[in-house]
Amino acid sequence: MFKNLHRIVIASIVLGACATAPRLDSPLASPRGASPTGFPANVRTETTDSDFLKENAVARSVALAKAADRTVDVLALSGGGAGGAYGAGVLTGLTASGARPRFEVVTGVSTGALIAPFAFLGPEWDGKLREAYGGGATGDLLQSRGVAALWDVGVFDGKPLRDLVNRFVTDDLVAAVAQESASGRLLIVATTNLDREETVIWDMGAIAMQGGDKARELFRNVLVASASVPGIFPPVMIEVEKDGQIYQEMHVDGGASTPFFVAPDAIREIDNLSNSPRGANIYVIVNGQAASAPRTTSNNTLDIAARSFTSVLNHLTRSSIAQTEDFARDTGMNFRFTAIPTDVQFGGSLDFDSPGMSETFNYGQRCAAAGLVWVTQDQAKARNGNEEAELKSFAEAGCPLLPPTP
């Protein structure tokens, strides 16, 4: 089913392109500097504001500067839909191996945003992470709107995604995020504001520290928005204000504007304050494959469109990895990343069925437990070259390839 689902989705988007849904909001897009109603301006910004995260980091960096190992560990989690099972498995596998850092900065985009709070809170929340991504919880996530998709927004109903987020983003989770954030750590999630065509960076710790029902509601809305792939799920409307004027913003998947987010200004500032002799460690988990296995593209509109879409996403991911590696090298930091290798059979970002999710989760967990996930660009290229000896070493270490997808 899922091998052709991306074609069905693209076809539905094309057919529904002429249909519009009414939008109840101000006719004007929100201005720069607007903030969610009832919240201070420091809970979010656009990526064009380079000082925002730096200032937030400095404001909460005293505790970090006194960290026992004086080393800043940063984790960036990419988008990838069902591929989030890989990232979730990697984190639980790192816990099992005893090699999981206590990340001072965690950022998430799309499915990575849903994983980010658990990654931020640490191994004590692995059970919830396994429950969310290990198979079962996402089985009913894709509920088609049927013919309604032709005049409404989103091929699939947004309620199952919202219900999934509501199930796991409890009062206890928000309170735990607030407590950890008060100690100086940063939890960042990215969405895309379609009205301004900008990536919006949300300081989830600052939201959580506001406390109360409104904080939990905004926390959930941001996570749902970041995971709402345009055309797949409905967008999330967020009310903001500036100078007494109320606006309504349309937010969608952060992956629509960035594959993952590394906060270079904040990382540089925190690293300087920590005065670490080893430099910060930057880890990126790509929740999927950064390149597709070569195959002949069918000479038809849907396959060409789908392949082109995948090509753009993969290229952006690889470019972002290269830029992050350059940043780390230029600033004396250490960079590693992980992605599902191209030689591994992967059902794709919409394969939310339990068997596929479980297999991907278990694969990530096995690889991480065996110490076979973090690579440099050169090492990743070697792995993707299908060298027989290297593939054999992976299998012998307990990290075999996934079985072929039906």
Side-chain angles (χ1 to χ4, degrees):
M1 173 183 176
F2 289 98
K3 294 177 72 175
N4 296 311
L5 186 53
H6 66 287
R7 297 188 179 93
I8 297 171
V9 168
I10 289 174
S12 299
I13 293 172
V14 171
L15 289 172
C18 60
T20 59
R23 182 177 172 186
L24 303 177
D25 67 335
S26 165
L28 299 176
S30 62
R32 189 180 305 278
S35 59
T37 305
F39 288 83
N42 72 340
V43 301
R44 69 168 205 171
T45 192
E46 295 176 355
T47 51
T48 50
D49 181 5
S50 60
D51 292 331
F52 174 83
L53 284 175
K54 179 179 176 180
E55 292 170 357
N56 279 25
V58 171
R60 284 192 259 145
S61 62
V62 176
L64 292 180
K66 297 178 180 179
D69 62 0
R70 292 168 55 200
T71 300
V72 176
D73 292 299
V74 180
L75 174 66
L77 295 149
S78 85
Y86 175 71
V90 166
L91 287 167
T92 59
L94 289 173
T95 298
S97 71
R100 178 170 169 176
R102 180 179 185 270
F103 299 108
E104 280 72 33
V105 180
V106 176
T107 73
V109 173
S110 193
T111 193
L114 304 184
I115 298 171
F118 303 112
F120 182 73
L121 294 176
E124 295 80 7
W125 291 76
D126 278 3
K128 291 296 183 182
L129 193 58
R130 184 178 295 104
E131 182 182 346
Y133 279 94
T138 58
D140 297 323
L141 192 59
L142 301 183
Q143 293 185 13
S144 175
R145 290 173 177 267
V147 295
L150 300 180
W151 59 80
D152 207 339
V153 288
V155 174
F156 298 107
D157 189 351
K159 186 176 183 299
L161 174 59
R162 185 171 290 278
D163 288 346
L164 181 68
V165 172
N166 289 343
R167 171 179 168 182
F168 290 99
V169 180
T170 60
D171 289 332
D172 288 344
L173 182 141
V174 176
V177 168
Q179 181 177 351
E180 289 299 321
S181 298
S183 74
R185 299 168 67 211
L186 285 171
L187 173 61
I188 305 297
V189 163
T191 64
T192 299
N193 180 345
L194 282 186
D195 298 329
R196 296 180 58 83
E197 297 181 356
E198 291 285 355
T199 305
V200 178
I201 303 304
W202 299 82
D203 186 334
M204 304 301 282
I207 294 173
M209 285 190 288
Q210 293 296 308
D213 293 339
K214 290 192 68 175
R216 182 184 176 191
E217 180 183 6
L218 181 59
F219 197 102
R220 286 173 164 179
N221 284 342
V222 171
L223 293 184
V224 173
S226 187
S228 294
V229 182
I232 306 298
F233 295 110
V236 174
M237 302 300 181
I238 296 179
E239 186 180 280
V240 300
E241 63 179 341
K242 185 176 184 182
D243 300 329
Q245 176 68 50
I246 301 296
Y247 304 87
Q248 186 188 60
E249 296 177 343
M250 179 182 286
H251 285 261
V252 297
D253 190 346
S257 54
T258 182
F260 59 83
F261 181 73
V262 174
D265 296 306
I267 294 171
R268 185 185 291 111
E269 192 67 23
I270 294 173
D271 188 44
N272 289 338
L273 287 168
S274 71
N275 196 28
S276 171
R278 296 176 293 277
N281 298 313
I282 302 175
Y283 302 92
V284 173
I285 295 179
V286 176
N287 289 301
Q289 295 173 314
S292 301
R295 70 169 176 82
T296 300
T297 304
S298 299
N299 193 19
N300 63 68
T301 300
L302 293 183
D303 199 31
I304 291 171
R307 221 44 211 285
S308 299
F309 181 70
T310 301
S311 176
V312 170
L313 293 181
N314 288 344
H315 176 77
L316 288 175
T317 298
R318 293 195 299 270
S319 294
S320 295
I321 288 172
Q323 291 169 5
T324 304
E325 189 169 62
D326 289 343
F327 165 75
R329 182 177 58 251
D330 293 344
T331 53
M333 300 180 187
N334 310 297
F335 172 68
R336 294 291 184 272
F337 78 97
T338 185
I340 301 176
T342 56
D343 54 288
V344 172
Q345 296 295 323
F346 171 54
S349 61
L350 295 177
D351 186 5
F352 288 105
D353 278 352
S354 296
M357 293 285 284
S358 296
E359 289 172 355
T360 304
F361 179 91
N362 291 335
Y363 176 79
Q365 186 176 62
R366 285 196 304 270
C367 292
L372 295 171
V373 289
W374 301 125
V375 295
T376 63
Q377 280 199 93
D378 289 341
Q379 291 170 330
K381 290 175 183 176
R383 174 78 205 275
N384 287 337
N386 289 332
E387 282 80 353
E388 183 177 350
E390 187 169 4
L391 293 182
K392 182 179 179 181
S393 69
F394 268 64
E396 290 176 346
C399 187
L401 305 184
L402 289 175
T405 301

